[in-house]
Amino acid sequence: MAKILVNKSGPLHGEVKISGAKNSVLPLLAATIMTEDSCVIEDVPNLADVSVMKQILKKYGAEIDDSEKGVIKTQTKEIVSCEGDKDLVQEMRASIFTMGPLLARHGKVIMPMPGGCTIGKRPIDLHLKGFRALGAKVTEDIENETVTVEVGPSGLIGDVIYLDFPSVGATENILMAASMAKGTTIIENAAKEPEIIDLANQLNKMGAKIKSAGTDMIRIEGVEKLSGCVHEAIPDRIETGTFLLAAAITRGDILIKNAIPGHVRPIIAKLRECNVGIEATPEGIYVDARDRELIATDIKTLPYPGLPTDIQSPFMAFLTTVKGSSVVRETVFENRFMHVVELNRMGADIQTENREARVPGGKKLHGAKVRATDLRAGAAMVIAGLVADGTTEISEIYHIERGYEDLVNKLKSLGADIMKTDRD
Ligand code: UD1
């Protein structure tokens, strides 16, 4: 089983380029099956989740050309199947982003219940609520763990849909389905993440009529048909945050290129509270934690524009090393503290109660055998390993490879003592 070995490293220094955003690219790819024309998605990271999405789309009838690095060309002349492959869907929750597109183009979708990181119950009730509001019939087969969504004789019809929580995935699925519904759809309490704007921009290039994406009330005028597009994904804001934290925990200084400062404002704000120096320059985001006394701060995850839940675990790893203690509150997912057990193996001494973790600072972490229990927990282990005495051996690294492009080599180029090994 492949592992990542991290040795205590000095301050990171140099430049790193951020890849296209995983969480944008997955729905951007899903949206391409809404048209029979060819679509080109650019700045696509080389990730396991992207490979899964390509396989899923091929089963629906997409022809995919990925011969050029970072570019995926798709064309779905015809939908040949509307049934999600159980194994692929179990592998990646984002498979459900194909429900809206299939419903819009084909009128029917059969989806096994999704898998992905085990960070909470993660139901799909809000996605289904949206489809129902657009007039689709939803049949849940509890025994076979599948759900069938079908459009009635009059097709999808626009409506006002209030989301009880601003779910990213539900907003994206409804956005795609409503793009080809009759009349107007309004999504109230919509998610406002930059990935939603990216998807709306791509759909608008394809001929959709979406207004106010990025606010909590999105308005969609349905159109009959969508056409092809060329679209470049936004840079990955969680990868950006991870490198900000890698520089901060090692008390280094790095320039993060291809990053959008506005997308990581809450991460920058909280790191500044810890006395990390961060500056947006024309070349990128410059982070400088050299010769500074870094101090504790409390953090709380929230939907955008709050602090992203996906950065909570790497941030927690960083907080173990600063002066003073912090409280970390997770409000988005109910089970996202699995990394605490692993950080404690490294000497962190974190206590949790419900959705709150008390993180003592000033810890001298030590290397240990730890697991990447989910994608972002894996990033936390890498970050912690950079400053832990001795060697940190991280297993289950397929989780990390689902969402970080070339993390080991990028960190190595900044001076980290890190390697991937296939040896036991
Ligand atoms: C997306 C991101 C993920 C990120 C998350 C929150 C992708 C591929 N993944 O996941 O990295 O951590 O946003 O920023 O973009 N919920 C319901 N019912 C639903 C849907 C969601 O109760 O139908 C709940 C979830 O259980 C969770 C919360 O809403 O507690 C947020 O989930 P959501 O925003 O939907 O996350 P994802 O789209 O799955």
Side-chain angles (χ1 to χ4, degrees):
M1 266 265 240
K3 288 181 181 145
I4 291 177
L5 303 179
V6 196
N7 289 317
K8 185 173 173 138
S9 307
L12 297 189
H13 174 71
E15 289 180 8
V16 67
K17 182 172 176 270
I18 296 303
S19 303
K22 167 181 93 76
N23 287 354
S24 257
V25 164
L26 297 175
L28 296 179
L29 283 171
T32 65
I33 62 166
M34 293 173 73
T35 174
E36 60 199 28
D37 295 345
S38 62
C39 296
V40 182
I41 313 294
E42 297 172 338
D43 210 3
V44 178
N46 182 14
L47 300 172
D49 272 9
V50 172
S51 302
V52 174
M53 184 55 92
K54 285 191 283 194
Q55 290 175 59
I56 288 172
L57 299 185
K58 278 185 190 161
K59 298 230 171 197
Y60 297 149
E63 287 165 34
I64 295 185
D65 173 0
D66 55 3
S67 49
E68 193 181 332
K69 191 174 179 281
V71 178
I72 297 186
K73 295 178 185 158
T74 70
Q75 184 163 24
T76 314
K77 289 182 190 143
E78 207 189 330
I79 300 287
V80 297
S81 161
C82 65
E83 195 165 347
D85 179 283
K86 195 166 183 176
D87 291 339
L88 292 174
V89 172
Q90 288 293 337
E91 216 172 299
M92 182 180 77
R93 178 178 163 88
S95 345
I96 57 170
F97 295 158
T98 58
M99 292 181 83
L102 279 175
L103 202 57
R105 167 108 182 255
H106 187 70
K108 183 172 177 182
V109 48
I110 305 168
M111 192 56 67
M113 291 305 175
C117 287
T118 46
I119 49 172
K121 290 200 284 285
R122 300 184 96 176
I124 59 165
D125 56 314
L126 297 173
H127 302 243
L128 300 181
K129 176 181 179 178
F131 297 145
R132 276 196 195 96
L134 296 175
K137 185 175 156 216
V138 176
T139 316
E140 289 178 73
D141 180 346
I142 307 291
E143 203 175 310
N144 292 311
E145 296 184 333
T146 57
V147 58
T148 302
V149 187
E150 272 171 289
V151 169
S154 11
L156 292 175
I157 298 168
D159 201 348
V160 178
I161 302 163
Y162 172 78
L163 292 181
D164 304 77
F165 184 89
S167 153
V168 175
T171 303
E172 291 171 337
N173 246 332
I174 298 167
L175 201 57
M176 293 188 275
S179 289
M180 288 174 73
K182 289 191 191 100
T184 307
T185 300
I186 291 173
I187 311 177
E188 292 182 340
N189 198 28
K192 297 182 278 199
E193 271 69 1
E195 294 77 19
I196 305 279
I197 304 178
D198 205 20
L199 176 62
N201 285 342
Q202 173 178 319
L203 289 167
N204 283 342
K205 283 184 192 168
M206 294 170 77
K209 293 187 174 162
I210 301 167
K211 281 192 182 146
S212 312
T215 75
D216 58 7
M217 190 146 93
I218 307 179
R219 187 185 174 92
I220 308 132
E221 301 289 342
V223 297
E224 239 172 67
K225 222 172 153 23
L226 295 182
S227 47
C229 68
V230 178
H231 185 79
E232 185 183 339
I234 56 170
D236 198 307
R237 63 195 166 95
I238 306 302
E239 190 194 7
T240 304
T242 305
F243 279 99
L244 284 169
L245 287 157
I249 201 168
T250 60
R251 312 304 191 252
D253 74 310
I254 64 176
L255 179 67
I256 305 175
K257 292 184 146 180
N258 192 37
I260 299 178
H263 289 177
V264 286
R265 265 202 337 250
I267 307 175
I268 292 178
K270 294 309 290 185
L271 279 171
R272 281 187 177 143
E273 284 179 20
C274 299
N275 197 28
V276 176
I278 302 180
E279 214 183 307
T281 75
E283 287 80 38
I285 302 175
Y286 177 64
V287 48
D288 188 359
R290 293 169 304 171
D291 307 321
R292 285 167 170 262
E293 183 172 57
L294 302 189
I295 50 173
T297 192
D298 295 343
I299 63 168
K300 179 178 172 183
T301 65
L302 285 169
Y304 194 85
L307 189 79
T309 171
D310 285 351
I311 210 69
Q312 180 254 108
S313 44
F315 213 119
M316 191 186 285
F318 162 70
L319 290 173
T320 64
T321 67
V322 301
K323 187 179 173 200
S325 51
S326 316
V327 175
V328 173
R329 286 189 195 84
E330 171 59 55
T331 78
V332 179
F333 290 107
E334 74 277 13
N335 180 24
R336 210 171 195 178
F337 280 149
M338 286 184 298
H339 47 281
V340 167
V341 175
E342 308 301 316
L343 285 172
N344 284 349
R345 279 188 225 285
M346 301 173 73
D349 200 18
I350 300 163
Q351 309 286 325
T352 57
E353 198 181 337
N354 300 319
R355 291 184 178 203
E356 213 168 271
R358 294 189 174 272
V359 186
K363 287 286 170 188
K364 269 208 106 20
L365 300 179
H366 53 79
K369 289 187 177 189
V370 292
R371 291 164 56 222
T373 49
D374 66 55
L375 164 57
R376 307 303 172 184
M381 295 308 117
V382 171
I383 297 270
L386 292 171
V387 291
D389 281 334
T391 304
T392 301
E393 187 179 309
I394 308 168
S395 60
E396 299 178 35
I397 61 166
Y398 50 86
H399 282 299
I400 299 176
E401 290 170 346
R402 284 188 40 218
Y404 285 93
E405 185 178 52
D406 217 8
L407 183 63
V408 168
N409 284 324
K410 285 186 181 182
L411 284 168
K412 244 189 205 166
S413 75
L414 297 169
D417 187 352
I418 182 170
M419 66 180 282
K420 183 178 161 182
T421 170
D422 288 324
R423 278 182 289 121
D424 273 333

